[in-house]
Amino acid sequence: ETGVTQTPRHLVMGMTNKKSLKCEQHLGHNAMYWYKQSAKKPLELMFVYSLEERVENNSVPSRFSPECPNSSHLFLHLHTLQPEDSALYLCASSQAFGGAADTQYFGPGTRLTVL
Amino acid sequence: GQNIDQPTEMTATEGAIVQINCTYQTSGFNGLFWYQQHAGEAPTFLSYNVLDGLEEKGRFSSFLSRSKGYSYLLLKELQMKDSASYLCAVRDSNYQLIWGAGTKLIIKP
């Protein structure tokens, strides 16, 4: 596999469920990101990890919990979500967080529907 | 506040040229990115501009004017596969990426 992969691609869950999204990057990058993409809205940065340490947490509700066990893997643990959390969740990676020309490479996303 | 403006939707004809504009107001500037995103797929990197002027990459070109807070993406010889959303993003003085909502480009035969 190459690039950034995400699983599952689609997820339907009830408000009381617990699920996890997985992201893996095969680019040798040191930074990984979670974004939320809602229709006709800008990408919302949720979390950033650099060298497995969380460096950004943009006021995300605690029902979203990230985990970065190593520089290649990133998880987003979900519990007691709300219908308004339905969106496309994108994972990205980049060579090094904070560089001006640092380019982010995205995975295909997980389409999440909360019933 | 910080803001990126792009048209919501544009329509163009196969074989023609289209220009997608992006204006920004951000706290500082450390470069501007353009991404392409086909429906249901990952955004893919197209271009990066940090200095004023035009950067050309095949059928796609990107222009930047820092004094005007303005960029455009120029697509030539449009093909049906160019139907996608085009995202503009600016890196601010804190090296945060500020994203526009994207421009959906519809190509008609």
Side-chain angles (χ1 to χ4, degrees), chain A residues 22-42:
Chain A
K22 179 183 176 182
C23 175
E24 185 172 0
Q25 59 97 0
H26 308 268
L27 300 169
H29 288 166
N30 292 316
M32 296 188 77
Y33 310 76
W34 279 118
Y35 284 93
K36 177 182 179 183
Q37 187 176 35
S38 303
K40 299 185 180 180
K41 290 186 177 179

Side-chain angles (χ1 to χ4, degrees), chain B residues 10-14 18 78-80 82-83 105-109:
Chain B
M10 299 181 70
T11 302
T13 304
E14 191 176 15
V18 72
L78 286 170
Q79 302 175 10
M80 298 303 292
D82 297 329
S83 292
L105 179 62
I106 300 168
I107 309 297
K108 295 187 174 180

Side-chain angles (χ1 to χ4, degrees), chain B residues 42-62:
Chain B
T44 55
F45 170 73
L46 289 177
S47 66
Y48 171 70
N49 294 67
V50 67
L51 299 175
D52 290 352
L54 188 68
E55 296 274 347
E56 297 187 69
K57 274 186 184 180
R59 293 190 299 114
F60 291 12
S61 303
S62 56

Side-chain angles (χ1 to χ4, degrees), chain A residues 26-99:
Chain A
H26 308 268
L27 300 169
H29 288 166
N30 292 316
M32 296 188 77
Y33 310 76
W34 279 118
Y35 284 93
K36 177 182 179 183
Q37 187 176 35
S38 303
K40 299 185 180 180
K41 290 186 177 179
L43 290 178
E44 297 175 45
L45 180 64
M46 300 175 73
F47 301 103
V48 180
Y49 279 82
S50 177
L51 297 172
E52 301 152 46
E53 297 290 326
R54 190 190 302 183
V55 296
E56 290 283 339
N57 176 3
N58 289 348
S59 302
V60 179
S62 59
R63 57 186 183 269
F64 295 92
S65 174
E67 179 189 1
C68 187
N70 55 61
S71 60
S72 298
H73 293 86
L74 186 64
F75 295 89
L76 188 63
H77 304 299
L78 316 171
H79 66 98
T80 58
L81 293 190
Q82 304 298 310
E84 60 265 28
D85 296 323
S86 298
L88 182 68
Y89 288 83
L90 291 164
C91 174
S93 71
S94 71
Q95 183 62 50
F97 175 70

